[in-house]
Amino acid sequence: MEKRFDFLVIGSGIAGLSFALKVAGHGKVAVVCKGQLDETNTAYAQGGIASVMYPPDNFEKHIHDTLVCGDGLCDEKVVRMVVEEAPAQIKQLMEWGVNFDKKDDGTIDLAKEGGHSEHRILHHKDSTGREIQRALCQKVREHKNIQVFEHHFAVDLITQHHLGMLVKSHHTNIECYGAYVLDIPTGKVYKFLAKIVLIATGGSGNVYYSTTNPAVATGDGIAMVYRAKGVIEDMEFMQFHPTSLYNPGERPSFLITEALRGAGAILRTQDGKEFMHKYDPRGSLATRDIVARAIDNEMKIRGDEYVYLDARHLNKEEVMTHFPTIYQKCKSVGIDIFKEMIPVVPAAHFLCGGIKTDINGRSWINRLYAAGEAACTGLHGANRLASNSLLEAIVFAERASRDALQHFRSYAIPSEIPEWNDSGTTYPEEMVLITQNMKEMQSIMTSYVGIVRSDLRLKRAMNRLSIIFEETEELYKKTKLSKALCELRNLITVCYLIIKSAQQRRESVGLHYNVDCPHRRIKKE
Ligand code: FAD
Ligand code: SIN
């Protein structure tokens, strides 16, 4: 059972759909996504997308802010390139129909977020991602060269390994010819063959119990590339967003955008005291690593389960105009944000590491590109600057598309690629074997590999994880493919990569804070 395309795009967020639109004029494109087309992290983005638009802002300031936030580990060449190419990609988004909020004089209304020295966040109220997703989905559905496969789960990349050849980790001669894809409703596994494959599978937040990420964020692309022996990097840098709504049991955790702090909201402990200036002169608008750690520390010292975000003093009309979703959500759980403070806690939000790419989005596997949150391009270093990720996704989708278009016509796909082999497997008898291991995995990561780490906690996490890994591999070998089992297996791989990277990094830097490792001295401004 085989399907052939010029381009196979795995993922339907901003990275996947913008790449698909850019290459679709040149060949047949398949967009594969495991849920509906609009079920993505992208659709959840609130604050917006960063780009230099008007003076007094300029490229040097955006570059400087990104480098400071990345704590010395950004690739400066990549930072400069992304920042300088941002305005052209913003223009492209607007041409595709994305509506960013404007002021009465017709200029774009720019917000400010933590770590930014200027107002440079383009937004659509507090639901920017939904607006971007809407526009891109519409364009993709209209394009005659793009075929959309919803509820299709990419299981494994196809390489020379599937032709019986020996493929070694990190070698430069591995080639990708497509992916085995599970049609979730029918249970059939297809070979999706293509000259070029783009991994745009988004985040991995579900390795933790509390996350702002929707259920689709299970790190599948990273795990697939790891199994295919590509290069994965910087996995220890998981960003915890400082302010998700404290509402126990709600998954995903509802985000209270940083733009609300940009508009003047202030963090306070439960007794009403402002505390951020103890940690950083920028107060509530310091970079996320610092704010999340400060909140974690205050909660531990005081034994509290949350801190407060105080928006009571803000202009009511402005808040209602810019943050209608947050107002409504808080109201729905009984909080009037003009009278009461909002209880907030940090939650896993964004993975800075992932599939290592070059400046054109090429992974270490030939013909395979990666863009968006699944990729590690060098932009974020040890910590991502707010609203730089939608930007990174669209800039790298553009660069990957340009590079792919130069080469794809010369690529042939071998004819002898075998069908998916599930002989000897049976349907799972007990789903509890999967669901319980998922809970245990999230509990291990939350307890031992959270905002503050130690050598002992990491060692313990690895030991516990290895038991779950063995059990899950055993189950996988004898069971027919299911989305739940594949996701668990991928999440366990991502956990392993996070813990391993955290153990190898012998300094506390950016988002990785290990009490047993010295802190890298960097200049925070
Ligand atoms: P996604 O948008 O996550 O899309 C992933 C796609 O991959 C989905 O279509 C999914 O179905 C598909 N997929 C995954 N695995 C498989 C598989 N095995 N088979 C088939 N399909 C698969 N960033 C900003 O810059 N600004 C913001 O304001 C902002 N706010 C945010 C708010 C929230 C609540 C969250 C969660 C994130 C926010 N981010 C923000 C981060 C940003 O939204 C994401 O990093 C970005 O949208 C990721 O886009 P993507 O295209 O890489 O992947
Ligand atoms: C937010 O709106 O606070 C999230 C922005 C981001 O993750 O970049």
Side-chain angles (χ1 to χ4, degrees), residues 10-16 32-37 39-50 113 121 128 133 152-155 200-203 212-214 216-218 220-221 224 253 255 257 349-350 371-374 384-391 393 490:
I10 306 176
S12 62
I14 185 171
V32 165
C33 52
K34 62 181 172 175
Q36 284 174 203
L37 194 64
E39 253 176 271
T40 63
N41 263 13
T42 299
Y44 281 69
Q46 289 186 2
I49 178 164
E113 289 179 348
I121 317 296
T128 312
Q133 189 75 45
H152 278 63
F153 189 100
V155 179
T201 47
T212 61
N213 293 190
V216 290
T218 54
D220 300 335
M224 275 192 279
S253 302
L255 185 77
T257 176
H349 181 63
F350 181 88
E373 193 167 335
R384 174 182 65 106
L385 185 64
S387 288
N388 262 0
S389 49
L390 293 172
L391 176 62
N490 290 337

Side-chain angles (χ1 to χ4, degrees), residues 65 116 141 218 276 359 461:
D65 294 346
H116 288 274
R141 294 226 190 253
T218 54
M276 270 311 302
I359 199 145

